[in-house]
Amino acid sequence: MVLVDLSTGEISRKPCPEHITRDYLGGRGLGDYILLKHLKKDVAPLDPENILIFAAGLLSGTKMITTGRLHVSARSPLTGLIGTSNSGGMFGSELKGCGILALVIVGKANKPVFINIRSEHVTIEDASTAWGLERKEAAAKLLELAGDEKARAAVIGPAGEKMVALASIMFGPGHACGRTGLGAVMGAKHLKGLVVRKTSSVAAATPAAAVPAVKDYLAKLKALPSWEQWTTLGSTDSVLWTHQMGGCAAKNHSQVTFAGAETASGSAFKDLIVKHRGCYNCPIRCKADIKIDRGRHTGFEGERGEYEPLATWGPKCGNADGLASVYLCNLCDDYGVDSIGAGNVVAFAIDLYERGILTPEDTGGLALTWGNTEAMEQLLQQITYRSTPLGDTLARGMREAARIIGRGAEQYAHLVKGLSMTFMDPRAFKASGLGYAVSNRGADFGYVYAKPEYAYTPQQALDAFGTAKAADRLSEEGKAAMVRQCMCANAVVDSLGICKIPQFGMLLDFNLEEAAKIVTAFTGQPVTGADLLLAGERIVNVERLFNFRFGATGRDDTLPEKFTTEPISEGPCQGSVINLAPMLQQFYALMGWEQDGTVSAAKIKQLGI
Ligand code: SF4
């Protein structure tokens, strides 16, 4: 591990004890462990003492496919709780190739700087000329300053510099640590970015066993019917699918279907793809660059976007111009702002305007009506640069904005623990709903990835969760067990540095049997799926203990009242509400927690935390 103190300029190395990688693996688990062990209770998210960790996964940068992932952790400026976010790209593999499992950053520089990592040499360098630049220009400037145009850069944009609570850290086009606002932590430290260049590839511990294990994993992926879908459209067609399921969050959760959802689905602009792209060592290559040849953004070239951001800037904002959503997602990347969180807060503002809670006087004359993409673009810029009173208010995140605006705005702020909700309606996907409530980072599908509720067969659900009804997304049966397993499995995959798309989106390997074969092959240490799930459980518990240190309680495991009291009024899920309380008690019991959601002393002891 490399420790960097930006206040003193000190840089030191420390070996990562073997028992830590055994218990926490790397990536997210390692970041969580460091935060729980070292971050004191009185440190605010934007204080210099907040600890910012860039951690590669245990398998990052190896010859295992899709292992370019990197995890960033700190106390979140958005939620005040665990800040945890994962990105693809090349940065994780480069960092690991420098022999660095984690870069641990504290302090605050007295001027803008970047951290330059060239194999084993780590230096802090002046980034004054990059300050103020947007993503593309900032990354290019840092590479120029580092004197190596082939290196990889991670940067913040203007949103991070201005400590917007929704600020992301960008690792390339479409590669972001977006959720929980960690870009603002970099801004507070005057850290514009990092540049990394490895000089060797990471050798697998047991290459003889690793090669066939990887081949077997890849062969299983290629044999799946979903291979074609993921390699051509990525996640994008799920926008239309969620609408068809009657479970989308259109117009800030006021509708579960949306006429025009198909415009934000990748099939609608498949013809615009210029080339497919992927992260480090990824044969799936789910990303794509497109060139727009129609509509208001004709001539625009950029990244195609993914399901959640496209859905957020599309149906959630009442916008039926999918190509405008593509453009706005790219703008979020350029500004260095979480494309989900920013789209959500814009949808929230539109909802308030349409209801008369925000007036033209509040918006400076901006007509924030559903689908007004020009107004959405202007508001996004105002949030990024905090250039108007409304922009500055929304830049604090939805929870704080609702508090400042008042006038009943709180009831339209759909969030959990300060993090705004992703696109699936909890009443239509009940495991995902429970997952939103209990997720340590707040209301986010990616924390639990409860895909078995709609992708498992009844027999698979019976075998895995004790009831065939767990495969019925509208049933509450078996969902506590499902969320427990999926949540722990996600913690493992984020810590190994593998992408969730092959592991969960395609293989549905939530018992981690396939992952265990890979870990065994690469480390030479035999592990089972159950061993890995135990590590995942430990990681989830560490995050929960961290949250409780900073004031969270079981009462934060909740959903906005709308979803527990107001039945869905249309579509295939008509009449559905989510009955959260019994699922929550079942979940706590399965986790071995107290009835009020506290992590029990017995659980802490059992997990060796
Ligand atoms: S599947 Fe997509 S997100 Fe995952 S590693 Fe491959 S290109 Fe990156």
Side-chain angles (χ1 to χ4, degrees):
M1 293 193 289
V2 172
L3 317 180
V4 178
D5 187 330
L6 293 172
S7 297
T8 64
E10 266 177 59
I11 298 170
S12 57
R13 279 181 182 260
K14 197 175 168 188
C16 186
E18 210 176 304
H19 70 94
I20 302 300
T21 49
R22 184 197 63 214
D23 289 351
Y24 295 95
L25 307 171
R28 176 172 149 194
L30 181 57
D32 290 342
Y33 169 80
I34 293 169
L35 284 174
L36 185 70
K37 193 163 170 57
H38 297 288
L39 192 70
K40 296 196 176 73
K41 200 176 173 178
D42 57 352
V43 175
L46 299 180
D47 282 354
E49 293 79 17
N50 195 4
I51 304 172
L52 178 68
I53 303 143
F54 288 72
L58 188 69
L59 298 176
S60 293
T62 64
K63 296 200 184 321
M64 171 57 186
I65 58 168
T66 79
T67 49
R69 312 293 305 184
L70 180 92
H71 210 87
V72 183
S73 311
R75 187 178 176 204
S76 164
L78 180 65
T79 67
L81 303 176
I82 190 84
T84 173
S85 195
N86 193 282
S87 175
M90 306 285 178
F91 203 92
S93 62
E94 291 287 328
L95 194 65
K96 194 77 172 296
C98 295
I100 299 173
L101 186 56
L103 190 66
V104 182
I105 303 163
V106 294
K108 176 183 178 179
N110 57 15
K111 63 179 180 183
V113 296
F114 73 103
I115 297 174
N116 191 7
I117 306 155
R118 318 245 333 140
S119 196
E120 70 272 20
H121 302 291
V122 181
T123 51
I124 302 169
E125 299 186 21
D126 187 0
S128 301
T129 53
W131 201 253
L133 298 181
E134 294 180 4
R135 176 190 64 81
K136 268 196 273 314
E137 294 75 20
K141 176 56 80 177
L142 292 193
L143 296 187
E144 181 195 317
L145 291 170
D148 185 352
E149 62 180 22
K150 290 193 174 153
R152 304 289 174 179
V155 297
I156 55 168
E161 292 176 11
K162 295 196 174 294
M163 291 175 271
V164 170
L166 305 163
S168 61
I169 303 169
M170 295 303 306
F171 296 85
H175 298 303
C177 280
R179 305 238 75 190
T180 67
L182 299 178
V185 177
M186 283 181 65
K189 292 182 180 301
H190 285 163
L191 179 61
K192 181 66 180 176
L194 301 89
V195 171
V196 63
R197 179 79 183 274
K198 69 179 177 184
T199 52
S200 65
S201 60
V202 179
T206 52
V211 173
V214 175
K215 276 189 181 161
D216 180 55
Y217 191 93
L218 180 57
K220 285 184 174 129
L221 288 173
K222 286 189 170 175
L224 292 168
S226 60
W227 174 265
E228 169 73 14
Q229 169 93 2
W230 281 104
T231 53
T232 53
L233 296 170
S235 59
T236 54
D237 258 14
S238 297
V239 183
L240 180 59
W241 175 84
T242 315
H243 151 81
Q244 288 166 338
M245 294 292 107
C248 75
K251 295 189 174 176
N252 195 32
H253 296 270
S254 59
Q255 294 174 198
V256 292
T257 58
F258 183 69
E262 72 284 356
T263 69
S265 283
S267 289
F269 38 89
K270 192 177 164 189
D271 59 312
L272 303 183
I273 293 174
V274 177
K275 70 170 183 192
H276 288 274
R277 278 193 298 111
C279 306
Y280 164 80
N281 198 19
C282 180
I284 303 164
R285 295 166 64 81
C286 75
K287 311 267 182 189
D289 292 332
I290 67 169
K291 181 171 182 183
I292 297 178
D293 69 356
R294 48 194 180 253
R296 191 159 78 86
H297 299 289
T298 295
F300 175 80
E301 293 178 54
E303 217 266 328
R304 174 180 56 188
E306 292 177 32
Y307 163 57
E308 289 286 357
L310 289 171
T312 305
W313 286 97
K316 205 167 205 177
C317 288
N319 164 31
D321 179 350
L323 293 177
S325 302
V326 170
Y327 171 79
L328 288 162
C329 291
N330 276 270
L331 203 54
C332 288
D333 283 0
D334 289 344
Y335 288 161
V337 66
D338 172 21
S339 50
I340 301 171
N344 280 345
V345 87
V346 167
F348 166 67
I350 295 173
D351 200 2
L352 298 186
Y353 185 87
E354 291 271 6
R355 293 175 191 277
I357 295 172
L358 284 178
T359 65
E361 198 179 325
D362 295 318
T363 65
L366 208 56
L368 284 179
T369 51
W370 294 121
N372 182 349
T373 56
E374 290 180 42
M376 287 155 61
E377 181 177 346
Q378 285 185 50
L379 186 58
L380 174 60
Q381 188 183 51
Q382 292 174 17
I383 293 167
T384 299
Y385 288 94
R386 307 184 90 136
S387 57
T388 62
L390 180 60
D392 181 61
T393 298
L394 297 174
R396 296 160 195 263
M398 193 186 287
R399 180 172 61 188
E400 184 63 5
R403 191 190 64 73
I404 293 168
I405 294 166
R407 293 171 263 165
E410 286 91 344
Q411 68 174 299
Y412 305 106
H414 304 304
L415 46 80
V416 177
K417 301 186 180 87
L419 190 74
S420 56
M421 273 188 188
T422 42
F423 194 57
M424 292 160 95
D425 189 299
R427 297 166 296 184
F429 298 93
K430 294 195 175 172
S432 298
L434 175 62
Y436 287 172
V438 298
S439 156
N440 285 315
R441 80 168 178 179
D444 192 272
F445 175 81
Y447 189 88
V448 177
Y449 214 110
K451 189 165 178 174
E453 72 173 321
Y454 52 87
Y456 269 19
T457 62
Q459 186 61 50
Q460 283 176 305
L462 180 65
D463 294 344
F465 311 117
T467 167
K469 286 200 166 176
D472 173 358
R473 64 194 168 94
L474 294 179
S475 168
E476 281 148 19
E477 283 188 40
K479 295 302 161 55
M482 182 184 291
V483 169
R484 179 182 184 275
Q485 180 163 342
C486 292
M487 186 182 273
C488 295
N490 270 271
V492 170
V493 166
D494 281 342
S495 305
L496 292 176
I498 303 176
C499 180
K500 290 178 187 176
I501 287 173
Q503 180 62 27
F504 299 138
M506 298 172 76
L507 289 173
L508 302 175
D509 181 32
F510 290 92
N511 57 21
L512 299 182
E513 282 174 6
E514 297 301 327
K517 287 183 208 163
I518 294 293
V519 174
T520 299
F522 274 85
T523 63
Q525 305 292 323
V527 294
T528 63
D531 294 333
L532 290 176
L533 285 169
L534 183 66
E537 185 185 359
R538 185 177 295 111
I539 292 162
V540 167
N541 276 275
V542 163
E543 290 175 352
R544 190 159 180 94
L545 288 167
F546 181 91
N547 281 355
F548 275 49
R549 176 184 294 171
F550 288 99
T553 69
R555 286 192 297 281
D556 295 297
D557 296 332
T558 188
L559 289 169
E561 196 179 329
K562 171 189 178 84
F563 302 102
T564 57
T565 58
E566 197 179 298
I568 289 178
S569 61
E570 52 161 340
C573 306
Q574 191 170 21
S576 181
V577 289
I578 183 165
N579 192 9
L580 185 63
M583 287 199 291
L584 205 51
Q585 281 308 314
Q586 288 165 19
F587 178 77
Y588 286 174
L590 288 170
M591 292 300 287
W593 295 343
E594 308 288 1
Q595 282 190 351
D596 66 357
T598 307
V599 179
S600 63
K603 181 53 71 178
I604 293 172
K605 190 169 174 209
Q606 183 210 336
L607 294 172
I609 295 172

